[in-house]
Amino acid sequence: MARVALVTGGTRGIGAAISKALKAAGYKVAASYAGNDAAAEKFKADSGIPVYKWDVSSFDACAAGVKQVEADLGPVDVLVNNAGITKDTAFHKMTLEQWNAVINTNLGSLFNMTRQVIEGMRARKFGRVISISSINGQKGQFGQVNYSAAKAGDIGFTKALALENAKGGITVNVICPGYINTEMVQAVPKDVLEKNVIPQIPVNRLGEPEEIARAVVFLAADDAGFITGSTLTVNGGQYHA
Ligand SMILES: NC(=O)c1ccc[n+]([C@@H]2O[C@H](COP(=O)([O-])OP(=O)(O)OC[C@H]3O[C@@H](n4cnc5c(N)ncnc54)[C@H](OP(=O)(O)O)[C@@H]3O)[C@@H](O)[C@H]2O)c1
C-alpha cells in the first residue's frame, strides 16, 4: 500500500516541487494551500494531486482539513510542514499583526498540523514529520526578527519532538533551505538579488525547489529511520550552523 503524504503549502514554490517529487516516489499525496485558488487549480491540473484549502495558522481548520484528507486518502504517514510567509520590516517598526502572522503561520502551524497526526503515527508505529525552516532561522536576518524567530522555533520543535517519538518508529527532521528560486525570493528586487544575495552563495546561484524536494524524499523514506532530530542544511554552502 502506498504511503500517504500531506504537504502544507504544497501547491506553489518549494511545496509544489515536494508534492510532485513525493508522488513520483510512489506516495499518495495531498497538497494544502491558503487562498490562491488559481495557482492551486493549475497545480492540480498539471500534477493530478488533490488540493485542500485551509489556513495552517488555525488549529480548528487544521483539524478539519486533516480529517478530510484522511477520509479521502487514508491516515497520514508523512507530514511535510512547508507552508510559510514573510512580513519583513525592521523590528522597531514591526507591528503586532506582522509578528503574530509570521509566528502563527511558520511556527504555530507545526503544532496545529503535527498535533492532528501524531497520535495516529504513534498508534501505527510509523511516521515522518519533516518541516521546512530556513537559513535565516539558523543565522538571523536583518528585517526578519519575526521570521527568524519562527524558523529557529521550528528547529527546537523538531529536536524535542524527535526525542519524544524516537522509540515509536517516527522520525522528526527539519530542512533549512538557503535562497531558493520561488515567488518568495523573486519578490526581492533583481538588483538586490544579483548584488547582495547571489555573491554570498558559494555555488553562485539560487537553489531550485526540486533540490529541497530531493531532501524531503530522502528523509521520508522507510529506510531513513535512523535519521531523526536532525537539521539538514541545503543552501549552496552559504552558512553552516
Ligand atoms: N523560497 C526560499 O528561498 C525559502 C528559503 C528558506 C525557506 N523557505 C521556506 O520554504 C517554505 C516554502 O516557501 P516558498 O518560497 O515555496 O513559498 P511560496 O512560493 O510563497 O508558497 C507558499 C505556499 O504556502 C501556502 N501558505 C502560505 N500561508 C499559508 C497558510 N496560512 N495556510 C496554508 N497554506 C499557506 C501558500 O498557499 P497559497 O498559494 O494559497 O498562497 C503556498 O502554497 C516556507 O516555509 C518558507 O519560509 C523558503
Side-chain angles (χ1 to χ4, degrees):
M1 274 276 283
R3 293 204 181 278
V4 174
L6 169 55
V7 183
T8 68
T11 58
R12 283 201 291 122
I14 292 171
I18 294 170
S19 299
K20 289 178 187 168
L22 286 169
K23 184 180 178 196
Y27 294 82
K28 279 199 275 180
V29 180
S32 86
Y33 70 106
N36 189 334
D37 296 316
E41 287 307 318
K42 184 171 185 311
F43 165 83
K44 184 180 167 184
D46 290 349
S47 67
I49 294 170
V51 299
Y52 297 83
K53 178 159 78 170
W54 75 81
D55 178 0
V56 293
S57 70
S58 158
F59 183 82
D60 292 344
C62 290
V66 171
K67 200 171 167 201
Q68 186 61 54
V69 168
E70 294 200 323
D72 293 349
L73 301 185
V76 173
D77 300 302
V78 177
L79 171 64
V80 184
N81 289 310
N82 165 78
I85 56 167
T86 53
K87 288 195 184 290
D88 295 357
T89 187
F91 182 71
H92 58 273
K93 295 180 183 161
M94 190 174 288
T95 64
L96 182 60
E97 188 279 332
Q98 288 170 318
W99 170 262
N100 284 339
V102 169
I103 295 292
N104 294 340
T105 304
N106 296 17
L107 175 59
S109 61
L110 270 60
F111 176 80
N112 298 340
M113 285 300 304
T114 312
R115 188 65 187 80
Q116 314 301 337
V117 299
I118 196 76
E119 290 185 55
M121 289 178 174
R122 287 170 67 92
R124 294 187 302 278
K125 301 200 180 315
F126 181 87
R128 300 281 183 262
V129 178
I130 302 160
S131 300
I132 308 301
S133 173
S134 169
I135 185 175
N136 293 341
Q138 297 175 295
K139 71 170 188 55
Q141 175 63 17
F142 191 100
Q144 291 196 326
V145 170
N146 50 2
Y147 186 81
S148 296
K151 292 300 192 183
D154 294 346
I155 298 172
F157 173 98
T158 295
K159 290 179 177 178
L161 191 66
L163 292 177
E164 291 187 11
N165 290 281
K167 283 187 185 149
I170 301 167
T171 68
V172 189
N173 293 291
V174 61
I175 296 170
C176 290
Y179 285 82
I180 309 297
N181 190 17
T182 68
E183 284 172 37
M184 187 181 269
V185 164
Q186 286 156 13
V188 177
K190 199 162 182 282
D191 61 317
V192 175
L193 272 182
E194 280 169 8
K195 282 195 201 125
N196 302 341
V197 176
I198 291 175
Q200 292 176 29
I201 305 173
V203 302
N204 201 34
R205 63 171 175 83
L206 297 175
E208 292 301 326
E210 292 73 20
E211 294 178 301
I212 306 304
R214 179 167 173 71
V216 172
V217 172
F218 168 71
L219 291 170
D222 278 25
D223 59 3
F226 204 56
I227 307 171
T228 195
S230 73
T231 305
L232 180 53
T233 293
V234 186
N235 65 18
Q238 187 176 352
Y239 181 80
H240 298 284

